[in-house]
């Protein structure tokens, strides 16, 4: 069966717990997954390490990466650029690791257009009330920020139907198992096993030749 | 999440063990799956029961089912017709059961054209040598029949790439788990959960209205 890794894009409502989900997935199956590291022009915050949290580059370096087509996708927020370098993702996939990309819906859909083999997962809480409770429960933002997040959530929701999978994050552990099983089953997709199919047809034909 | 059953079409090389696989799946999860019952114009063999092994009908009744568009697919072998009645399949899917259809590749691809929500699974042994050993090992057919089966296998293999999933039946138990997990994950496909998506967007909007 196919030994190439799968590109997995995880998005979800703010408050849906996708960060924790991805972290748990990495902790539980460190040999199976690799988390894509973004490249950014923003300065490192205290404790952030180059090649661990982000690849930190200058505006010029980032522009060069764009012009050399070295990014899977990129976006600008305020004055800073954020992008996904191809090199790291492809290397890990070649090693047989499934690469997780945690990006927003617009970026995700752009990636899917270019890489149709990628799978898009959308993480949602069991219902909107639960989402509200989680956001308010954090207690770190005022109501205004929470409402802004919600608005964003509503806009984002318009794109979910273009995703491959919708995953409900009710209990974290169940959700991690579900996502792991979805990604692992992707390896059984027929289009990812064209070489295997060719091989078995060839073998069948060879045996036939020998018998007639 | 979606409560409608999924239509699952299982095909595979003769000798791949798909019959045993389907039987095991039904035994292990009797509440989750329903096996589609075919309708045929051939006479019942000893011990075969109407509504259990097949629905046995006359040529006229079968022709009427065709003209009334009551069959998902049908085919003729020698002088007999075989088909899949829509009614039984849809009833079971409405009850939330995933319906298994064990049919040949040509019929399977025809069904997929009409019902794109159906998933196609192709069962293969780990390699062609293993397939040969299983067929020869049965000891019930002469070499000529075995070779015919092989030829058929080679022809069939040409269509596998149009299937959704390729499942290797190495150890039966593992294969049953794999197939079960593939089918159950299908329920998480975003396109099967449009109602759920609509509901959560509506809920989000309602909460937003209340907060502003």
């Amino acid at each position: 069966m196919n030994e190439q890794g799968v590109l997995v894009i995880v998005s979800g409502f703010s408050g849906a717990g996708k960060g924790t989900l991805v972290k748990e997935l990495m902790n539980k199956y460190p040999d199976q997954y690799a988390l894509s590291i973004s490249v950014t022009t923003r300065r490192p915050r205290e404790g952030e390490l180059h090649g661990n949290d982000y690849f930190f580059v200058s505006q010029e370096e980032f522009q060069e990466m764009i012009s050399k087509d070295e990014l899977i996708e990129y976006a600008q927020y305020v004055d800073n650029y954020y992008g996904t370098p191809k090199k790291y993702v492809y290397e890990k996939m070649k090693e047989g690791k499934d690469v997780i990309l945690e990006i927003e819906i617009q970026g995700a859909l752009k990636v899917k257009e270019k890489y149709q083999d990628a799978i898009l997962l959308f993480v949602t809480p069991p219902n909107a009330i639960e989402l509200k409770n989680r956001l308010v429960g954090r207690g770190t933002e005022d109501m205004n920020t929470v409402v802004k997040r919600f608005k964003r959530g509503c806009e984002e929701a318009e794109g979910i139907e273009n995703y491959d999978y919708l995953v409900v994050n009710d209990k974290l552990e169940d959700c991690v198992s579900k996502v792991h099983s979805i990604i692992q089953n992707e390896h059984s997709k027929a289009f990812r096993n064209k070489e295997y199919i060719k091989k078995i047809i060839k073998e069948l034909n060879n045996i036939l030749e020998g018998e007639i």
Side-chain angles (χ1 to χ4, degrees), chain A:
Chain A
M1 301 290 283
N2 93 312
E3 282 157 18
Q4 165 103 351
V6 174
L7 182 57
V8 183
I9 300 169
V10 178
S11 313
F13 294 127
S14 169
K18 62 181 188 299
T20 320
L21 171 73
V22 168
K23 209 185 280 171
E24 266 303 292
L25 203 63
M26 301 294 303
N27 281 344
K28 215 167 165 185
Y29 312 97
D31 295 335
Q32 187 59 51
Y33 300 107
L35 190 60
S36 162
I37 300 168
S38 297
V39 58
T40 182
T41 58
R42 83 153 165 75
R43 302 219 167 167
R45 294 186 191 131
E46 212 180 306
E48 284 185 340
L49 292 173
H50 182 81
N52 186 28
D53 302 288
Y54 284 96
F55 297 112
F56 297 99
V57 298
S58 67
Q59 290 272 358
E60 293 69 35
E61 286 170 312
F62 199 97
Q63 288 299 340
E64 208 185 312
M65 291 182 91
I66 296 175
S67 65
K68 285 188 176 166
D69 195 27
E70 289 175 4
L71 299 171
I72 291 182
E73 55 83 43
Y74 67 93
Q76 190 179 9
Y77 297 108
V78 199
D79 286 336
N80 294 309
Y81 284 95
Y82 294 81
T84 306
K86 282 183 187 173
K87 193 168 170 282
Y88 182 84
V89 169
Y90 290 170
E91 271 175 15
K92 292 293 164 188
M93 283 170 72
K94 257 197 180 158
E95 288 172 19
K97 296 212 176 192
D98 299 322
V99 180
I100 315 282
L101 228 72
E102 201 192 314
I103 51 175
E104 285 191 90
I105 197 162
Q106 293 313 322
L109 295 174
K110 266 193 255 169
V111 175
K112 181 79 175 183
E113 264 174 43
K114 273 204 268 180
Y115 305 89
Q116 288 173 13
D117 295 1
I119 61 164
L120 305 192
L121 287 169
F122 198 91
V123 187
T124 168
N127 55 60
I129 303 291
E130 176 69 22
L131 181 60
K132 186 191 162 188
N133 291 341
R134 287 187 199 175
L135 285 174
V136 174
R138 283 183 184 172
T140 48
E141 291 119 354
D142 61 22
M143 208 52 214
N144 204 6
T145 313
V146 173
V147 170
K148 263 192 201 158
R149 282 259 173 85
F150 261 78
K151 267 199 162 156
R152 177 94 199 197
C154 284
E155 287 162 19
E156 277 189 339
E158 303 289 339
I160 311 181
E161 62 227 46
N162 297 314
Y163 270 61
D164 294 303
Y165 292 95
L166 183 73
V167 187
V168 180
N169 186 8
D170 197 351
K171 285 181 191 161
L172 179 65
E173 204 177 320
D174 294 348
C175 190
V176 170
S177 299
K178 188 81 188 167
V179 167
H180 177 61
S181 130
I182 285 173
I183 300 172
Q184 292 321 302
N185 285 343
E186 275 294 316
H187 289 268
S188 300
K189 278 276 172 77
F191 79 85
R192 297 189 202 277
N193 290 284
K194 285 181 186 157
E195 286 308 311
Y196 183 92
I197 295 172
K198 263 190 212 157
K199 193 180 128 256
I200 209 160
I201 294 179
K202 206 178 154 207
E203 281 179 20
L204 276 168
N205 276 315
N206 285 344
I207 291 174
L208 257 180
E209 297 292 319
E211 298 295 343
I212 301 173

